[in-house]
mmCIF file of all heavy atoms in Angstrom:
data_model
loop_
_atom_site.group_PDB
_atom_site.id
_atom_site.type_symbol
_atom_site.label_atom_id
_atom_site.label_comp_id
_atom_site.label_asym_id
_atom_site.label_seq_id
_atom_site.Cartn_x
_atom_site.Cartn_y
_atom_site.Cartn_z
ATOM 1 N N ARG F 25 -56.395 8.134 38.016
ATOM 2 C CA ARG F 25 -56.826 9.274 37.204
ATOM 3 C C ARG F 25 -57.159 8.826 35.780
ATOM 4 O O ARG F 25 -56.773 7.724 35.373
ATOM 5 C CB ARG F 25 -55.715 10.334 37.161
ATOM 6 C CG ARG F 25 -54.429 9.885 36.464
ATOM 7 C CD ARG F 25 -53.486 11.062 36.285
ATOM 8 N NE ARG F 25 -52.172 10.625 35.814
ATOM 9 C CZ ARG F 25 -51.849 10.429 34.557
ATOM 10 N NH1 ARG F 25 -52.763 10.580 33.608
ATOM 11 N NH2 ARG F 25 -50.633 10.041 34.225
ATOM 12 N N GLY F 27 -56.652 8.534 31.848
ATOM 13 C CA GLY F 27 -55.449 8.540 31.016
ATOM 14 C C GLY F 27 -55.604 9.583 29.918
ATOM 15 O O GLY F 27 -56.722 9.954 29.559
ATOM 16 N N ASP F 106 -49.893 9.903 28.288
ATOM 17 C CA ASP F 106 -49.772 8.519 28.743
ATOM 18 C C ASP F 106 -49.724 7.517 27.594
ATOM 19 O O ASP F 106 -49.123 6.453 27.716
ATOM 20 C CB ASP F 106 -50.964 8.180 29.651
ATOM 21 C CG ASP F 106 -51.130 9.218 30.749
ATOM 22 O OD1 ASP F 106 -50.112 9.589 31.366
ATOM 23 O OD2 ASP F 106 -52.266 9.684 30.978
ATOM 24 N N SER F 154 -44.435 10.570 32.322
ATOM 25 C CA SER F 154 -45.777 10.308 32.862
ATOM 26 C C SER F 154 -45.716 9.248 33.970
ATOM 27 O O SER F 154 -44.901 8.327 33.934
ATOM 28 C CB SER F 154 -46.686 9.828 31.722
ATOM 29 O OG SER F 154 -47.574 8.847 32.183
ATOM 30 N N ASP F 155 -46.626 9.371 34.934
ATOM 31 C CA ASP F 155 -46.660 8.404 36.044
ATOM 32 C C ASP F 155 -47.740 7.338 35.825
ATOM 33 O O ASP F 155 -48.089 6.597 36.715
ATOM 34 C CB ASP F 155 -46.931 9.141 37.365
ATOM 35 C CG ASP F 155 -48.314 9.819 37.364
ATOM 36 O OD1 ASP F 155 -48.946 9.893 36.273
ATOM 37 O OD2 ASP F 155 -48.750 10.270 38.424
ATOM 38 N N TYR F 156 -48.296 7.303 34.610
ATOM 39 C CA TYR F 156 -49.362 6.342 34.310
ATOM 40 C C TYR F 156 -48.807 4.911 34.394
ATOM 41 O O TYR F 156 -47.690 4.657 33.949
ATOM 42 C CB TYR F 156 -49.914 6.623 32.904
ATOM 43 C CG TYR F 156 -51.312 6.128 32.706
ATOM 44 C CD1 TYR F 156 -52.370 6.731 33.354
ATOM 45 C CD2 TYR F 156 -51.572 5.043 31.868
ATOM 46 C CE1 TYR F 156 -53.663 6.281 33.176
ATOM 47 C CE2 TYR F 156 -52.861 4.583 31.680
ATOM 48 C CZ TYR F 156 -53.910 5.212 32.339
ATOM 49 O OH TYR F 156 -55.187 4.758 32.164
ATOM 50 N N PRO F 157 -49.583 3.978 34.933
ATOM 51 C CA PRO F 157 -49.036 2.625 35.127
ATOM 52 C C PRO F 157 -48.739 1.868 33.821
ATOM 53 O O PRO F 157 -47.839 1.045 33.795
ATOM 54 C CB PRO F 157 -50.105 1.902 35.944
ATOM 55 C CG PRO F 157 -51.292 2.792 35.989
ATOM 56 C CD PRO F 157 -50.881 4.172 35.592
ATOM 57 N N SER F 158 -49.491 2.134 32.740
ATOM 58 C CA SER F 158 -49.233 1.391 31.506
ATOM 59 C C SER F 158 -49.142 2.352 30.326
ATOM 60 O O SER F 158 -50.136 2.684 29.701
ATOM 61 C CB SER F 158 -50.345 0.366 31.279
ATOM 62 O OG SER F 158 -50.043 -0.379 30.130
ATOM 63 N N LYS F 159 -47.914 2.790 30.056
ATOM 64 C CA LYS F 159 -47.698 3.803 29.011
ATOM 65 C C LYS F 159 -47.445 3.098 27.677
ATOM 66 O O LYS F 159 -46.751 2.087 27.643
ATOM 67 C CB LYS F 159 -46.500 4.666 29.390
ATOM 68 C CG LYS F 159 -46.675 5.261 30.776
ATOM 69 C CD LYS F 159 -45.550 6.155 31.149
ATOM 70 C CE LYS F 159 -44.384 5.417 31.770
ATOM 71 N NZ LYS F 159 -43.415 6.355 32.387
ATOM 72 N N ARG F 160 -48.028 3.630 26.614
ATOM 73 C CA ARG F 160 -47.925 2.917 25.333
ATOM 74 C C ARG F 160 -47.696 3.868 24.159
ATOM 75 O O ARG F 160 -48.230 4.981 24.148
ATOM 76 C CB ARG F 160 -49.205 2.101 25.085
ATOM 77 C CG ARG F 160 -49.490 1.149 26.232
ATOM 78 C CD ARG F 160 -50.711 0.277 26.001
ATOM 79 N NE ARG F 160 -51.058 -0.407 27.251
ATOM 80 C CZ ARG F 160 -52.024 -1.291 27.404
ATOM 81 N NH1 ARG F 160 -52.768 -1.635 26.367
ATOM 82 N NH2 ARG F 160 -52.268 -1.853 28.579
ATOM 83 N N THR F 236 -37.428 2.341 29.516
ATOM 84 C CA THR F 236 -38.554 3.233 29.839
ATOM 85 C C THR F 236 -39.793 2.511 30.360
ATOM 86 O O THR F 236 -40.665 3.146 30.954
ATOM 87 C CB THR F 236 -39.017 4.001 28.586
ATOM 88 O OG1 THR F 236 -39.501 3.039 27.633
ATOM 89 C CG2 THR F 236 -37.886 4.796 27.953
ATOM 90 N N GLY F 237 -39.903 1.211 30.098
ATOM 91 C CA GLY F 237 -41.113 0.477 30.481
ATOM 92 C C GLY F 237 -42.303 0.764 29.572
ATOM 93 O O GLY F 237 -43.391 0.229 29.771
ATOM 94 N N VAL F 238 -42.102 1.615 28.560
ATOM 95 C CA VAL F 238 -43.190 1.917 27.624
ATOM 96 C C VAL F 238 -43.454 0.676 26.756
ATOM 97 O O VAL F 238 -42.526 0.010 26.318
ATOM 98 C CB VAL F 238 -42.828 3.129 26.723
ATOM 99 C CG1 VAL F 238 -43.860 3.330 25.615
ATOM 100 C CG2 VAL F 238 -42.676 4.401 27.555
ATOM 101 N N THR F 239 -44.732 0.386 26.519
ATOM 102 C CA THR F 239 -45.112 -0.697 25.602
ATOM 103 C C THR F 239 -45.162 -0.131 24.190
ATOM 104 O O THR F 239 -45.858 0.863 23.944
ATOM 105 C CB THR F 239 -46.518 -1.233 25.968
ATOM 106 O OG1 THR F 239 -46.447 -1.831 27.255
ATOM 107 C CG2 THR F 239 -47.013 -2.250 24.953
ATOM 108 N N THR F 296 -50.253 -5.627 27.261
ATOM 109 C CA THR F 296 -49.099 -4.791 27.633
ATOM 110 C C THR F 296 -47.796 -5.283 27.009
ATOM 111 O O THR F 296 -46.761 -4.648 27.176
ATOM 112 C CB THR F 296 -48.891 -4.780 29.154
ATOM 113 O OG1 THR F 296 -48.869 -6.132 29.588
ATOM 114 C CG2 THR F 296 -49.984 -4.008 29.862
#
Side-chain angles (χ1 to χ4, degrees):
R25 65 171 171 86
D106 309 314
S154 143
D155 63 349
Y156 204 70
S158 183
K159 306 183 274 192
R160 304 183 191 183
T236 63
V238 172
T239 295
T296 51

